[in-house]
Amino acid sequence: MSMQPKKRVGVLISGRGSNMVSLIEAAKAADYPAEIVVVGSNRPDAKGLDRASDEGFATFALDHKLYGKDREAFDRDLHAKLLEHNVELLVLAGFMRLLTPWFVDQWQGRVINIHPALLPSFPGLHTHERALEEGVRIHGATVHFLTSEMDVGPIIAQGAVPVLDGDNPDELAARVLTVEHEIYPKALAAVASGKATIDGFRVKVEGMKPEGKKIIS
Ligand code: GAR
């Protein structure tokens, strides 16, 4: 059986990059269908950039502060950087910046994002605080295809955790992060191998089995 060439992936981060690390680790497997070819950030001081270059990856930083209000100028430079590295699939891993409709259009169907909530609940910021305020008993994370609407897009994978009595936002965030690190490598593999395909508002994922029948909390 001939192996498909690995999809060339760019990862964008804004911070510590723990999701990026989970992708780097997964991509070390010989049969992983994607290879990370570059890691970029809108913040030159993002901790994850050091980690990526320590691991031998090409990195770049485009300081969004230098662009003022011109979002499209930032996005055009970002686009050019990604093309320099022949990126085919783009993965947002804690990238805390909205991309313009122009950019989203260029990359239609080729950008995935992870959000720390079970979308469509809790789009936006401070998801763990808001989940605690609302008293939900199940919380989690979502990997979805990017659209120009923030935290909206066809869902590829979700992972859920219980909310426990007495949780504070940090404890809940840490529990959610463990499922982020599980679902993101799986979701990227499904997209890179062509097993996850967009079908209207839904994603068909071939061969991805739910881990259990019920999640009750
Ligand atoms: C993650 O929890 C990710 O889901 C979230 O930022 C964190 C980044 O952590 N992303 C968003 O909130 C996007 N709106 P990391 O840098 O350790 O991967």
Side-chain angles (χ1 to χ4, degrees), residues 12-22 48 92-98 113-117 123-128 140-142 144 150-151 173 176-177 180-181 184:
L12 297 182
I13 62 171
S14 297
R16 72 194 152 173
S18 74
N19 276 291
M20 172 201 78
V21 170
S22 76
L92 309 184
F95 184 64
M96 305 303 282
R97 189 177 161 83
L98 291 176
N113 180 45
I114 191 158
H115 180 73
L125 298 174
H126 310 300
T127 56
H128 309 304
T142 302
H144 65 96
M150 187 185 64
D151 299 329
V176 169
L177 200 60
E180 293 189 42
H181 296 162
Y184 218 0

Side-chain angles (χ1 to χ4, degrees), residues 27 68 86 89 107 111 136-137 187 200:
N86 297 315
L89 264 180
W107 287 85
V111 189
V136 298
R137 304 195 70 99

Side-chain angles (χ1 to χ4, degrees), residues 48-193:
L49 280 183
D50 298 335
R51 174 70 189 260
S53 50
D54 287 350
E55 296 241 8
F57 292 95
T59 63
F60 67 84
L62 290 175
D63 187 349
H64 66 270
K65 295 197 186 99
L66 303 178
Y67 292 81
K69 289 207 165 79
D70 196 347
R71 287 187 167 269
E72 202 160 304
F74 175 91
D75 282 7
R76 283 185 188 276
D77 286 355
L78 176 60
H79 182 66
K81 281 279 177 203
L82 298 171
L83 293 190
E84 256 174 47
H85 293 273
N86 297 315
V87 169
E88 297 172 290
L89 264 180
L90 185 59
V91 174
L92 309 184
F95 184 64
M96 305 303 282
R97 189 177 161 83
L98 291 176
L99 294 160
T100 57
W102 174 82
F103 185 93
V104 176
D105 210 41
Q106 302 297 311
W107 287 85
Q108 201 64 255
R110 296 191 295 143
V111 189
I112 63 177
N113 180 45
I114 191 158
H115 180 73
L118 291 171
L119 291 173
S121 292
F122 310 121
L125 298 174
H126 310 300
T127 56
H128 309 304
E129 285 86 341
R130 287 157 59 209
L132 289 173
E133 268 164 33
E134 296 289 348
V136 298
R137 304 195 70 99
I138 297 176
H139 185 45
T142 302
V143 180
H144 65 96
F145 283 102
L146 196 77
T147 65
S148 51
E149 212 177 322
M150 187 185 64
D151 299 329
V152 175
I155 292 173
I156 304 157
Q158 291 187 305
V161 297
V163 179
L164 304 180
D165 290 342
D167 266 350
N168 65 38
D170 289 343
E171 288 162 338
L172 186 54
R175 197 172 309 121
V176 169
L177 200 60
T178 64
V179 307
E180 293 189 42
H181 296 162
E182 268 187 61
I183 65 175
Y184 218 0
K186 283 187 188 168
L188 174 59
V191 174
S193 62

